[in-house]
Structure formats: C-alpha cells, structure tokens
C-alpha cells in the first residue's frame, strides 16, 4: 500500500496576518451594516409635540367660591401647576386643598402625567377633585 502523505508547512506569520485581515473584514462588514440599516426608532419624548404652549385654566367650584387651576405647558412638557386665587376663606374652609394641591403639583411636574399619582388616604376625595380639574386644563392644552 502506498500512502501519499503530504506535509504542509505553514508559517505562523502568514496565519496571523490572515486572521487579522479576516477579523478586520468582518468588523468592516458589521460597521457598514450598523451604519446604513434603516432605523425604526420612535421620536424622543422631547421631540414630540404634545401641547400647545401656554397657560390653561379650569374652574374648580369650592362652596360658593370659584378657584382656577392653571397649568403652564410648553410643546412637550408640563412646566407648572398652580391654583389661583386661593383666598384665606377658602384655605380656612377647606384645609386639605392647599397641601393636597401642592403634593399633586410636585408629582405632576416630576412625572409629566396625571396618571398613577399617589396621595394620602385622608385627602383622596380632595385629590381626585383637584386631579379632574388639572385634567380639564391639560385637555385644553393638548394638540389635536
């Protein structure tokens, strides 16, 4: 039996160069693929137009007096929520209104939404009435 054994001699230098060029080629193809693929990214929250900039108000009737809840917005966020005018008589007759409103206003400006707000159990009805007034003002500001 005759076996024709072939001995192949490879130089280590050639193997290293081949591996480096192969790695660079794969890297180049991946880079080109990443750079030129179509992106399906949604616009960032700051790029979307959610509101018409301005100050919008909604009336809130407390007993015989009316208080306005004002919401200031720019195109993409709620900048402030205030209650005007809160007279001393209203503050005296409804002591939970001012602290509840301040708590809600801070949360709304931080979270940028009127959903999933937290409020104390003892002021839940007051907070719900205030949230409804704030929602009415935001509905006026919303872009159609």
């Amino acid at each position: 039996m005759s076996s024709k054994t072939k001995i192949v001699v490879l130089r280590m230098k050639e193997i290293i160069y081949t591996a480096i060029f192969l790695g660079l080629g794969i890297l180049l193809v991946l880079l080109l693929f990443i750079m030129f693929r179509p992106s399906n990214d949604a616009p960032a929250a700051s790029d979307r137009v959610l509101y018409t900039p301005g100050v919008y108000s909604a009336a809130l009737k407390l007993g015989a007096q009316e208080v306005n809840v004002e919401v200031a917005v720019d195109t993409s966020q709620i900048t402030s929520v205030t209650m005007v005018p809160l007279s001393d008589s209203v503050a005296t007759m409804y002591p939970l209104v001012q602290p509840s409103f301040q708590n809600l206003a801070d949360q709304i400006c931080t979270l940028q939404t009127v959903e999933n707000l937290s409020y104390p159990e003892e002021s839940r009805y007051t907070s719900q009435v205030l949230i409804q007034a704030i929602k009415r003002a935001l509905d006026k500001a919303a872009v159609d």
Side-chain angles (χ1 to χ4, degrees), residues 81 99-112 117:
V81 181
S100 297
F101 185 81
Q102 191 59 45
N103 177 26
L104 293 173
D106 292 342
Q107 289 183 55
I108 290 169
C109 289
T110 302
L111 300 174
Q112 294 296 310
L117 299 175

Side-chain angles (χ1 to χ4, degrees), residues 59-67 129 136:
L60 176 63
K61 189 139 177 100
L62 296 174
Q65 294 194 359
E66 195 170 274
V67 177
V129 168
R136 285 194 311 270

Side-chain angles (χ1 to χ4, degrees), residues 9-143:
V9 177
L10 297 174
R11 297 192 176 141
M12 192 60 153
K13 191 181 206 183
E14 293 172 356
I15 293 174
I16 291 174
Y17 285 153
T18 303
I20 289 173
F21 286 126
L22 185 63
L24 286 174
I26 292 172
L27 183 65
L28 180 65
V29 168
L30 285 174
L31 183 65
L32 289 173
F33 176 74
I34 290 171
M35 286 179 56
F36 295 112
R37 71 174 179 187
S39 65
N40 294 334
D41 297 335
S46 62
D47 295 341
R48 293 184 300 194
V49 176
L50 302 174
Y51 307 110
T52 303
V55 177
Y56 298 90
S57 64
L60 176 63
K61 189 139 177 100
L62 296 174
Q65 294 194 359
E66 195 170 274
V67 177
N68 285 328
V69 174
E70 292 184 346
V71 179
V73 295
D74 62 11
T75 57
S76 63
Q77 65 181 356
I78 302 167
T79 55
S80 70
V81 181
T82 56
M83 192 170 4
V84 181
L86 186 62
S87 65
D88 291 336
S89 62
V90 172
T92 303
M93 292 298 292
Y94 303 97
L96 294 178
V97 170
Q98 183 61 31
S100 297
F101 185 81
Q102 191 59 45
N103 177 26
L104 293 173
D106 292 342
Q107 289 183 55
I108 290 169
C109 289
T110 302
L111 300 174
Q112 294 296 310
T113 183
V114 290
E115 304 300 324
N116 300 323
L117 299 175
S118 63
Y119 42 83
E121 184 67 27
E122 62 270 3
S123 67
R124 76 171 173 246
Y125 296 116
T126 304
S127 297
Q128 290 172 354
V129 168
L130 291 170
I131 289 171
Q132 291 304 317
I134 294 168
K135 281 182 182 179
R136 285 194 311 270
L138 282 174
D139 288 343
K140 292 177 185 178
V143 173

